Amino acid sequence: MSLKIAIVDDNSFLIHAIKEKLSFFDEVMVKHTSLNGSELLAKLEDNHNIDLILMDIEMPVLNGIETTQVVKQKYPQIKIIMLTAFDNDENIFNAIKAGADGYLLKEINPKDLYDGIVETLNGGAAMNPSIALKTLKLLRNPLTIENEKDKEDISLSKREIEVLEQLSTGLSYTVIAENLFLSPSTVRKHIENIYQKLQVHSKIEAVQKAKRHNII
Amino acid sequence: MSLKIAIVDDNSFLIHAIKEKLSFFDEVMVKHTSLNGSELLAKLEDNHNIDLILMDIEMPVLNGIETTQVVKQKYPQIKIIMLTAFDNDENIFNAIKAGADGYLLKEINPKDLYDGIVETLNGGAAMNPSIALKTLKLLRNPLTIENEKDKEDISLSKREIEVLEQLSTGLSYTVIAENLFLSPSTVRKHIENIYQKLQVHSKIEAVQKAKRHNII
DNA sequence: GCCTTAATACGACAATTGACGTATTGGTAG
DNA sequence: CTACCAATACGTCAATTGTCGTATTAAGGC
């Protein structure tokens, strides 16, 4: 059995160092490496037969957090371990929110890295103890930092938000219409407009995006 | 240098098993053991020169969560690792809230237990990968406190959970099939079975229910 | 060895959803 | 005043989804 790995890091020297560490383990196969998120996404578009991605955070073009979010949305089966030099709360929290399955530091030794990969592929999460401590602290008192910066100007009308709230509980068009005393046609039209504003094409995507933007 | 450890467990047989595991490591000294929280507190009252406590959760008189809370309040310098047979979300979350520095399962092997103790005393946190994953999920999806009574026994297979994860990001049957290298028919069948188990009739309802039960 | 369950897969049909286009009405910001 | 937009509403069509039945194979429990 082989473990198909991809590495994403803007420092080609560090990519080499990671490869070196993995070279001790025969079943680990580094399928490809990328220097930034966009490059990775292009490669996955071509072939998504990858088990796990080792991802740096600070990268040009598309950083590790945003890349993780996209990969997890499109290919939820692919595991992602953040492998970075920095361990500030902000990064850890955002990486976890984006869907990362683990968070390790670059100084890690080969065996621990390998163990982390295997444990993650077996359905666990990889974390070194100092990161684990930070996640515990985050759980005890949650950060409530909102990313104000990437708030694209999404402006839904009052009615649209109302419809979205109904949508989010899994109701059908007809039931929503009954609840709001509207014609099903109207509900459909509202939803159509919502999709356009949110740039999505299904109920679930709409609900997800709305939640990420704290609309509902 | 010696590591001064206390063990608290209502099962004296299990206390013995833990001692056995620690016996491989010379610098570990089990200073005392207790069969419940009150007993421990009494002993600490007498002498609190202890580095770390290995604490069971389910105990008579005073359970591990409450005991942790008291110990951490009175002797914050003492590290506490929960060492228990159960890993349900409720316990993990409460233990962390109470101030635990780690959470390990009793089935652990001697070396990992020792490593966990050392790492915790070095200012990290001890967690095995499955617990780590649960903390990540809790961070992503703040626990919706649900009453024990309506905890129906929902048991989805590994594959079903995988499919559900894909569903949750808003992917269509065909894309899920591509991602998991399955036929669309199979994905549909899995989803049909998931719906039956969760007693729901649509994607959104399934995702919602799964989130409420911390399945995804 | 037998039974059960998980995982795989197909076909068919009805219901729902998503994407168009079109249209009327009422409020409000220039 | 008028241009714009929110809210209402209908129709159509293709795609997706939900539900049913059926079937094979592999793995695990008793």
Side-chain angles (χ1 to χ4, degrees):
Chain A
M1 201 209 61
S2 76
L3 313 179
K4 294 178 282 298
I5 311 288
I7 302 175
V8 194
D9 198 314
D10 61 331
N11 184 332
S12 57
F13 185 74
L14 285 174
I15 290 184
H16 189 70
I18 298 169
K19 273 183 161 173
E20 201 103 296
K21 286 180 184 175
L22 294 176
S23 69
F24 294 97
F25 309 96
D26 290 342
E27 72 271 45
V28 174
M29 311 220 321
V30 178
K31 285 296 200 181
H32 54 72
T33 66
S34 307
L35 293 168
N36 63 63
S38 306
E39 207 181 310
L40 170 77
L41 291 176
K43 284 179 180 162
L44 289 180
E45 206 69 50
D46 197 47
N47 172 15
H48 59 267
N49 191 7
I50 288 287
D51 296 311
L52 186 145
I53 300 169
L54 296 173
M55 179 102 64
D56 191 20
I57 290 189
E58 316 228 323
M59 292 183 295
V61 189
L62 194 65
N63 71 43
I65 306 282
E66 293 171 301
T67 310
T68 297
Q69 207 166 355
V70 176
V71 172
K72 276 291 173 181
Q73 201 272 318
K74 295 180 84 168
Y75 316 98
Q77 77 280 12
I78 300 180
K79 306 288 184 184
I80 299 179
I81 296 179
M82 309 312 287
L83 190 59
T84 169
F86 308 101
D87 66 341
N88 56 313
D89 289 353
E90 196 92 4
N91 274 346
I92 295 173
F93 187 69
N94 287 331
I96 292 171
K97 279 287 186 193
D101 301 285
Y103 201 115
L104 299 173
L105 295 178
K106 280 184 176 163
E107 42 179 49
I108 196 167
N109 67 58
K111 184 177 184 315
D112 285 346
L113 176 58
Y114 172 72
D115 285 349
I117 290 172
V118 171
E119 280 156 359
T120 301
L121 290 175
N122 283 333
M127 248 188 268
N128 62 349
S130 72
I131 304 289
L133 182 69
K134 282 171 190 285
T135 65
L136 293 192
K137 286 183 177 167
L138 283 172
L139 261 180
R140 277 185 209 122
N141 44 354
L143 286 186
T144 43
I145 35 140
E146 296 311 323
N147 31 350
E148 300 289 329
K149 60 181 166 82
D150 85 323
K151 241 179 199 165
E152 313 146 53
D153 50 333
I154 292 175
S155 70
L156 299 187
S157 74
K158 199 182 160 191
R159 198 52 149 174
E160 284 166 346
I161 291 172
E162 228 169 344
V163 171
L164 201 44
E165 261 155 8
Q166 302 256 340
L167 252 197
S168 76
T169 74
L171 303 177
S172 72
Y173 291 176
T174 48
V175 175
I176 295 176
E178 277 170 34
N179 283 348
L180 299 180
F181 303 99
L182 290 175
S183 139
S185 315
T186 307
V187 174
R188 285 161 139 259
K189 192 39 130 183
H190 281 309
I191 290 173
E192 203 179 320
N193 293 334
I194 291 169
Y195 286 0
Q196 199 154 51
K197 286 186 180 177
L198 296 186
Q199 293 285 300
V200 297
H201 306 276
S202 75
K203 288 177 167 187
I204 289 195
E205 285 179 310
V207 171
Q208 281 210 326
K209 190 144 189 176
K211 280 192 176 158
R212 276 212 305 278
H213 288 262
N214 293 313
I215 295 172
I216 57 172
Chain B
M1 200 210 58
S2 76
L3 312 179
K4 294 178 285 296
I5 311 289
I7 302 175
V8 194
D9 199 315
D10 62 331
N11 184 332
S12 57
F13 185 75
L14 285 174
I15 290 185
H16 189 70
I18 299 169
K19 272 182 160 175
E20 201 103 296
K21 285 179 184 174
L22 293 176
S23 69
F24 294 96
F25 309 96
D26 291 341
E27 70 272 45
V28 173
M29 312 219 323
V30 178
K31 285 295 200 180
H32 56 72
T33 67
S34 308
L35 293 168
N36 63 63
S38 306
E39 209 181 309
L40 171 77
L41 290 176
K43 284 179 179 160
L44 289 180
E45 206 69 48
D46 197 48
N47 173 14
H48 60 266
N49 188 9
I50 288 287
D51 295 312
L52 185 146
I53 300 168
L54 295 174
M55 180 103 63
D56 191 20
I57 290 189
E58 314 227 323
M59 293 183 295
V61 189
L62 194 66
N63 72 43
I65 306 282
E66 294 170 302
T67 310
T68 297
Q69 211 160 5
V70 176
V71 171
K72 275 291 174 181
Q73 200 268 317
K74 294 179 87 166
Y75 317 97
Q77 78 281 10
I78 299 180
K79 305 288 184 184
I80 299 178
I81 295 179
M82 310 311 288
L83 190 59
T84 170
F86 307 101
D87 66 342
N88 57 311
D89 294 333
E90 199 91 6
N91 275 345
I92 295 173
F93 187 68
N94 287 332
I96 292 170
K97 278 286 185 193
D101 300 285
Y103 200 116
L104 298 173
L105 294 178
K106 280 184 175 162
E107 41 178 53
I108 196 168
N109 66 58
K111 184 177 183 314
D112 285 345
L113 176 57
Y114 173 73
D115 286 348
I117 291 173
V118 171
E119 279 157 0
T120 301
L121 290 175
N122 283 334
M127 246 189 270
N128 64 347
S130 74
I131 304 287
L133 182 69
K134 282 171 189 282
T135 66
L136 293 193
K137 282 185 178 171
L138 284 171
L139 261 180
R140 271 181 218 129
N141 234 17
L143 192 55
T144 48
I145 308 298
E146 70 212 85
N147 26 5
E148 299 292 325
K149 66 174 163 76
D150 90 318
K151 235 177 201 168
E152 316 139 58
D153 49 333
I154 294 174
S155 71
L156 299 187
S157 74
K158 200 182 159 191
R159 197 52 146 178
E160 284 165 348
I161 291 173
E162 226 169 346
V163 171
L164 201 44
E165 257 154 14
Q166 303 255 342
L167 256 195
S168 76
T169 74
L171 302 177
S172 73
Y173 290 176
T174 48
V175 175
I176 294 176
E178 275 170 36
N179 281 348
L180 299 180
F181 302 99
L182 289 175
S183 139
S185 314
T186 306
V187 174
R188 282 160 143 263
K189 191 39 126 184
H190 281 309
I191 291 173
E192 204 180 319
N193 294 333
I194 290 168
Y195 286 0
Q196 201 154 48
K197 286 187 181 177
L198 297 186
Q199 294 284 301
V200 298
H201 305 274
S202 73
K203 287 177 167 188
I204 287 196
E205 286 179 308
V207 170
Q208 281 212 322
K209 191 145 189 175
K211 280 193 175 159
R212 272 196 281 110
H213 287 261
N214 289 305
I215 295 174
I216 57 173

